[in-house]
Amino acid sequence: MNHIERFRQLTAREREVLDLFCQGLLYRDIGERLFISVKGVKSHMQHIYQKLGLMHLPPKARAFTLREEYWPLVQSEPQAAQAVEPDVEIVDQIEPEVEALIDQDEATMKALVVTEPPKLVPPPRRRSRLACFPLTLIMLVVVAAAFWYFDGLSLIQGAFAQPQSIATDTEPALTVVEVQETPTLTPSQTQSATSVPSDTPLPSATYTLTPRSSATPNFGPVYEVEDWHKEGDLWFRLFDWHIDDERIFLLVELWNQSNQDHYFRWDPNQNGFLEDNLGVKYSINNWFDYGPWDEIVSAGEKIFITYGNYTDVTFVYDSDDLFSPGVTDLYFTLEYFSDIERATWHISVGN
């Protein structure tokens, strides 16, 4: 039974209680809104946990699941036009351990609502130094040619020697040099994911975490670009990819949803693998092979995992085999990367 089928088991009153609880209201405030006692509110909470199968979760995970998976379903329902009226209150008996759990969750949800992490705005993406090199070289050549063509040294000397204005009829005609930037090499007409700041909220009930079937058992679960993979309180995804300077650039994002800082060490040659649909394995570019790299992600922080001194790159592979006949798909696999045992993202190149 999936979470939507479980949600449909809730009564209208239980959905009202769930809605107010996820807003961070205390039980006494919920009771005043719905004209029921605090015991009645707790009785509804017991039914909600039982129907949604949340009793076994720790407090924070239970509160997070209610708020991110089930609350969006409540909000998507049409609102009743009439005001809430008191009804006949039926209070079921609550076991002491269950009531203690429900009492603890009141403070947990309140804290989650108050301290919910703000949307993070990473700095604007910058091109890597290697990607800027061709354009810089072209501009230097153009400037040097213009300086030589117009005898720039003589003009500078003349400007200092003759400060008076120069007659317009003696000025040389300037030739406009039109510079065209070499187009970026792309594998297909499809635009790759842009690297605007990743401020999207955590996936809700409409954003499934269920991967499709693996193309091969070695891939693990397979996702599309920008889809999240969850390991406990850590969320991972392939946020962006592009091709530049005959290399394939990949950017991985991690969101630490736990209340503790997360530390791990990784190495591009040991924790990331790129393979195409023909089974060809791609090599890490030797410019991006510095060995192991330490990473620290603070509690509640969402960051791009970058390698070395680069601000927008996690993995870089040579693209020598990308344009071979028959290559239509790439599969990027993270293996034993932080808490991931193995997860794969699919990239369509359409050659």
Side-chain angles (χ1 to χ4, degrees):
M1 181 182 299
N2 59 37
H3 65 280
I4 296 179
E5 293 173 342
R6 293 191 183 98
F7 174 77
R8 289 172 179 166
Q9 298 180 62
L10 301 181
T11 65
R13 176 63 77 185
E14 290 165 354
R15 298 180 188 187
E16 291 174 338
V17 171
L18 175 59
D19 182 25
L20 297 175
F21 180 65
C22 289
Q23 294 179 40
L25 272 65
L26 300 177
Y27 294 146
R28 67 169 182 273
D29 298 326
I30 297 175
E32 292 176 359
R33 291 276 190 97
L34 302 180
F35 304 100
I36 58 178
S37 66
V38 173
K39 278 288 187 183
V41 174
K42 293 181 181 180
S43 179
H44 287 306
M45 291 300 299
Q46 176 179 233
H47 295 160
I48 291 171
Y49 288 163
Q50 290 172 342
K51 292 179 180 180
L52 301 183
L54 303 178
M55 287 289 192
H56 66 288
L57 295 178
K60 184 175 180 180
R62 185 165 43 250
F64 183 80
T65 301
L66 285 175
R67 188 170 167 80
E68 297 298 331
E69 291 192 6
Y70 293 104
W71 192 31
L73 296 177
V74 177
Q75 294 175 307
S76 66
E77 294 183 327
Q79 300 298 317
Q82 69 277 8
V84 177
E85 297 293 339
D87 57 3
V88 178
E89 180 179 357
I90 301 176
V91 179
D92 292 342
Q93 182 178 358
I94 307 176
E95 296 294 332
E97 59 271 15
V98 176
E99 186 169 8
L101 178 148
I102 293 172
D103 289 338
Q104 182 182 12
D105 284 0
E106 181 180 33
T108 302
M109 179 60 77
K110 184 70 175 179
L112 179 63
V113 173
V114 172
T115 61
E116 189 172 28
K119 295 179 179 179
L120 302 181
V121 183
R125 180 174 180 176
R126 296 179 295 178
R127 292 170 64 90
S128 69
R129 288 172 290 182
L130 290 177
C132 295
F133 180 75
L135 180 59
T136 303
L137 183 60
I138 291 173
M139 293 182 66
L140 289 174
V141 171
V142 171
V143 171
F147 192 83
W148 171 82
Y149 181 80
F150 295 116
D151 195 7
L153 182 59
S154 298
L155 290 176
I156 293 174
Q157 292 174 344
F160 283 101
Q162 301 177 6
Q164 67 273 16
S165 61
I166 302 174
T168 56
D169 58 349
T170 62
E171 289 184 356
L174 298 180
T175 302
V176 178
V177 180
E178 183 176 351
V179 181
Q180 293 184 349
E181 183 178 356
T182 304
T184 302
L185 181 64
T186 56
S188 68
Q189 297 299 320
T190 305
Q191 289 281 357
S192 63
T194 180
S195 185
V196 296
S198 177
D199 58 357
T200 53
L202 206 60
S204 64
T206 59
Y207 199 128
T208 178
L209 289 171
T210 304
R212 67 178 189 174
S213 300
S214 299
T216 165
N218 296 329
F219 284 168
V222 178
Y223 303 89
E224 298 299 321
V225 177
E226 297 190 4
D227 282 354
W228 290 97
H229 173 74
K230 180 178 181 295
E231 291 285 347
D233 288 330
L234 300 178
W235 297 69
F236 304 81
R237 67 173 171 177
L238 174 59
F239 177 81
D240 191 12
W241 72 280
H242 71 279
I243 297 176
D244 205 348
D245 295 331
E246 299 183 352
R247 298 177 181 88
I248 304 171
F249 291 74
L250 304 174
L251 181 60
V252 174
E253 188 176 30
L254 186 155
W255 193 342
N256 180 7
Q257 284 292 335
S258 71
N259 57 5
Q260 296 180 347
D261 294 348
H262 181 64
Y263 163 83
F264 65 98
R265 169 171 286 196
W266 62 283
D267 186 318
N269 275 310
Q270 297 180 8
N271 303 115
F273 304 94
L274 188 65
E275 182 176 346
D276 62 28
N277 57 294
L278 301 180
V280 177
K281 295 179 173 58
Y282 292 70
S283 301
I284 288 286
N285 184 264
N286 56 12
W287 286 74
F288 294 82
D289 185 12
Y290 305 128
W293 197 255
D294 294 325
E295 200 70 56
I296 298 178
V297 186
S298 301
E301 185 179 22
K302 178 169 63 174
I303 68 171
F304 294 140
I305 304 299
T306 56
Y307 184 62
N309 297 321
Y310 296 89
T311 61
D312 59 350
V313 172
T314 313
F315 294 84
V316 179
Y317 295 88
D318 292 326
S319 61
D320 299 342
D321 299 306
L322 179 61
F323 302 102
S324 301
V327 176
T328 58
D329 301 274
L330 295 176
Y331 296 92
F332 169 65
T333 300
L334 289 177
E335 186 173 79
Y336 303 112
F337 180 88
S338 180
D339 285 7
I340 294 180
E341 181 175 349
R342 186 178 293 110
T344 299
W345 282 262
H346 164 252
I347 302 173
S348 176
V349 295
N351 287 347

